[in-house]
Structures are given as C-alpha cells and as structure tokens.
Amino acid sequence: MDDAVTIVESSREATSPPEVELGLLEEFLGFYLRLAYESAFQDFSQVLGPDSLKPGNFALLSLIHENPGITQTVLARASGRDKSSVTAGLRQLEDKGLIERTRLEDDRRSYASRVTPEGLVVYQRIAVKARTHMRRLDDIIGADRKPLLVAALKEIVAGLAERPTGDGTP
C-alpha cells in the first residue's frame, strides 16, 4: 500500500508545475485576466468539440446574428478587436459559408454582414454548447458574484478606454 501512495505522490509531483515566485505578477490583475481567459478558451474549445469555432469568431457570428447588416467598423467596436482582426475573422466565417457580406450602396468601402441559413444552423448548435460553457463558469463564480464580476470587467474596459496612451505615467 505504501508503494501505491508513493507512486501517486510522485505522479502528482511530476504533473504539477513547480512553485514559482511571481513577484510583481502576484498582484497584476492583467496576468490573472489572461490566465482566466486561457482557461475559459480551452474549456469553450473542448465543449465545442468538432464545431471548433474560435471564441473570437463565435463572438463575431453572435454579433452578426443579433445585428443583421452590421458593418465591420461597428463589429470591431462591439467586439473590442482591431479592424484587421475583424477582417480576418469575417473572411474565415465567410469562407465557411456562415456569413455573407454585401457592399453598402451609400458607402462603397463598407460591407454589411448577415448570417447565412447554414450559418444560422451552426450558430444555433454552437449557442447550445456555449450555454453549457457559460453554466460551467457560472458554477465556478456563483450566481451572486457573477453580476459583480461582469460589472468589474466592464469598468476595466471602459476605464482603460478613457485613458490616453503614451508615456506610462498615471
């Protein structure tokens, strides 16, 4: 029996990361936001399985589904992504046949995006899986703390958007 316990303990030691001094990172909110994002991304990908749509592209598809005719500029603003990232995501969605883009009559440089019938089927299937992922996160955070976390995250986004970029001084 002692040998079995030793093997289990050795196995745990081999698979668990070594203790590392985090220094400044110990109190660095962005570090934990990134770790949480990566964990959530991995879980979302696992839940999606063969539907494997990148979370960023799922966000674009969701926004297009909810806002038929939305332009790339508005999508970039709503998703918090730069215009070139949105362009790449839209191309991927378009190549998969999930969305269609049509040039706007009043602004020939802009395109309106809409979910295709095939895209609607995929969106509805993925939305069910996304809700499973959301429930997992809700179970971790708790119903009472979720509104506080969402509000805090929104404050971070809004607060940092208001700050000028530049020399790094407060």
Side-chain angles (χ1 to χ4, degrees):
M1 190 64 127
D2 288 335
D3 290 336
V5 171
T6 303
I7 292 171
V8 170
E9 287 174 357
S10 296
S11 173
R12 282 188 194 142
E13 290 171 9
T15 58
S16 62
E19 288 297 318
V20 175
E21 290 297 323
L22 295 178
L24 179 65
L25 294 177
E26 185 69 42
E27 300 296 322
F28 191 51
L29 186 57
F31 177 70
Y32 292 105
L33 289 171
R34 179 64 182 201
L35 291 177
Y37 171 79
E38 292 296 332
S39 294
F41 177 90
Q42 287 175 355
D43 184 72
F44 186 64
S45 295
Q46 182 182 15
V47 170
L48 285 183
D51 279 322
S52 70
L53 193 62
K54 294 176 185 175
N57 286 355
F58 175 68
L60 293 176
L61 184 62
S62 296
L63 289 167
I64 294 167
H65 174 266
E66 296 298 328
N67 303 278
I70 193 169
T71 64
Q72 181 175 328
T73 302
V74 176
L75 272 170
R77 213 173 310 126
S79 67
R81 295 168 67 188
D82 61 80
K83 199 171 175 183
S84 63
S85 296
V86 170
T87 300
L90 290 174
R91 280 194 191 120
Q92 292 166 3
L93 293 171
E94 193 171 34
D95 289 347
K96 289 182 178 193
L98 303 180
I99 66 163
E100 61 185 6
R101 296 187 293 168
T102 54
R103 192 179 301 267
L104 294 177
E105 289 296 322
D106 57 340
D107 182 357
R108 303 296 291 165
R109 296 171 296 155
S110 295
Y111 290 83
S113 296
R114 288 180 174 69
V115 175
T116 63
E118 180 184 346
L120 180 59
V121 170
V122 170
Y123 172 77
Q124 290 171 337
R125 187 173 62 235
I126 290 175
V128 169
K129 295 177 180 185
R131 286 184 188 94
T132 297
H133 167 70
M134 290 165 58
R135 280 192 299 275
R136 286 182 182 190
L137 294 176
D138 289 351
D139 288 346
I140 293 167
I141 294 300
D144 56 328
R145 297 186 324 166
K146 181 180 178 179
L148 297 172
L149 177 59
V150 171
L153 294 172
K154 287 180 178 180
E155 285 179 36
I156 290 170
V157 171
L160 293 177
E162 293 171 1
R163 294 195 183 269
T165 57
D167 64 4
T169 58

